[in-house]
Amino acid sequence: MASIYIHIPYCHSKCAYCDFYSVARPAEASAYAAAVAREWEMRRHELGGQTVRTVYFGGGTPSILPPDVIGRMASSLPLADAVELTLEANPEDVTPEAVTAWRSAGFNRVSIGVQSLVDTELRAVGRRHSARRALDAIAMLQDGGIGRVSADLIYGLPGQTEESFGQSLEGILATGVGHLSAYSLSFEPGTRLWRWLEQGRVSEAPEELTEKMYGMLCRATAAAGMCHYEISNFAVPGQESAHNSSYWDGVTPYLGLGPGAHSLGADGVRRCVGADVRAYLADPLSVLTVEEESARERVNDRLVASLRTARGLDMASLPEWARAEIAASARGFVSAGLLEELDGRLRIPPERWLVADAVIRELLV
């Protein structure tokens, strides 16, 4: 099974916490669609002829593009056997007309960036929509026949409290969405949020508070019938993200198109498209580079992704030398209940996922 990721590097404005590559609203949307189609034709061989089962339009803000342009990009890809076609969208871009066009283009899943249902929290990080607009957008997607809707939330936002996060969580779950992604706010170097932190304009949420929010998140989603299948992801059974799961489970190859996108080809080579949209429009291959990666780095990539999931790490998928090293490092954690071994897999129990990063660091080879 192969996957394709399309990076759309355009946004209405930059959110304070975002460190993904993006630029101002595009004037060259049609030119960008044509460049993606050219890149696909020039690089399709990297998938080794494997069937494409999932396609994901991420960003940036894919929904910023005119629906007909999104449709043209989708039509340039091999979608005949795709089981999941996802579009990331912001609430302010969702209209009944756009939903109809997206569905006609083949999109059967939309991931919508809500982040909070408290307007003051949204404004604090530069989000353009209101809570009411986010709820209306979800309803439009559902009423428009998008069968799988995923919503994003952030906890640890400036000014956020346990009660206000609960309000957002309750409001999202009440919509009946089948998938929820919830992330702890991170302060990435180079972002406005990072500068504000250095200037003392904002502060990080206390660890005790984020732990309480995470606990609330786990309890509320379980009560709503969702399975907790990755540290930050919850789904009604059958609505897990097939695309993201392919990354976490080590399914290859995957092809990333557009500036800022990364790939792992059928030949085992990692490649990256440089974050330069102007150069990309002139010649997509001019910004394509090979990412050198050692055997240890490949194993660590696999370990980090897998141990964030409920399925865990399939030890048989690793080279013998790596299995031996990881097994030795894991013994103490297994004894302490921070890791468990089951059917040849090593996993962190979901109730211990708050300390997952610390455990994973000690297992790196």
Side-chain angles (χ1 to χ4, degrees), residues 2-3 93 104 120 152 230 262 314:
S3 300
D93 298 325
S104 297
T120 54
D152 285 2
E230 194 268 348
H262 295 258
D314 179 5

Side-chain angles (χ1 to χ4, degrees), residues 56-58 60-63 85-91 94 102 107-115 127 138 141 146 148-153 179-181 183 233 241 244:
Y56 193 106
F57 280 57
T61 311
S63 59
L85 183 57
T86 301
L87 179 79
E88 287 186 351
N90 276 355
V94 179
W102 297 337
F107 290 93
N108 57 8
R109 185 174 185 273
V110 171
S111 176
I112 186 164
V114 176
Q115 318 312 3
R127 297 295 290 178
I138 291 172
L141 291 167
I146 299 294
R148 300 172 66 190
V149 178
S150 176
D152 285 2
L153 286 179
H179 191 282
L180 174 65
S181 298
Y183 306 97
N233 287 273
S241 169
N244 288 336

Side-chain angles (χ1 to χ4, degrees), residues 257-274:
L257 306 175
H262 295 258
S263 304
L264 178 57
D267 56 3
V269 176
R270 292 189 183 275
R271 298 174 176 85
C272 175
V273 185

Side-chain angles (χ1 to χ4, degrees), residues 28-192:
E28 66 272 359
S30 293
Y32 190 80
V36 168
R38 289 201 310 276
E39 187 187 7
W40 159 246
E41 290 301 329
M42 292 185 287
R43 299 184 59 204
R44 61 190 302 163
H45 64 277
E46 293 175 26
L47 294 181
Q50 293 195 33
T51 299
V52 174
R53 301 304 301 277
T54 69
V55 178
Y56 193 106
F57 280 57
T61 311
S63 59
I64 195 175
L65 296 180
D68 65 305
V69 172
I70 294 174
R72 288 207 301 277
M73 268 193 285
S75 67
S76 69
L77 303 172
L79 302 180
D81 296 303
V83 297
E84 182 182 274
L85 183 57
T86 301
L87 179 79
E88 287 186 351
N90 276 355
E92 62 266 29
D93 298 325
V94 179
T95 64
E97 296 76 20
V99 173
T100 298
W102 297 337
R103 188 179 175 197
S104 297
F107 290 93
N108 57 8
R109 185 174 185 273
V110 171
S111 176
I112 186 164
V114 176
Q115 318 312 3
S116 172
L117 289 179
V118 177
D119 288 343
T120 54
E121 295 172 3
L122 292 168
R123 289 194 295 270
V125 290
R127 297 295 290 178
R128 293 165 53 91
H129 65 272
S130 66
R132 181 70 262 164
R133 185 70 180 89
L135 293 173
D136 288 346
I138 291 172
M140 280 185 256
L141 291 167
Q142 293 169 327
D143 294 344
I146 299 294
R148 300 172 66 190
V149 178
S150 176
D152 285 2
L153 286 179
I154 297 177
Y155 55 97
L157 291 166
Q160 192 175 51
T161 64
E162 190 177 354
E163 291 73 23
S164 68
F165 177 65
Q167 175 185 330
S168 294
L169 183 57
E170 181 181 354
I172 288 298
L173 293 177
T175 67
V177 295
H179 191 282
L180 174 65
S181 298
Y183 306 97
S184 177
L185 182 68
S186 59
F187 292 74
E188 300 296 338
T191 62
R192 278 187 292 150

Side-chain angles (χ1 to χ4, degrees), residues 275-297:
D276 184 337
V277 70
R278 292 298 175 189
Y280 178 81
L281 289 174
D283 177 6
L285 294 189
S286 70
V287 286
L288 182 66
T289 58
V290 171
E291 296 183 293
E292 300 296 336
E293 188 177 44
S294 69
R296 288 187 177 273
E297 287 171 329

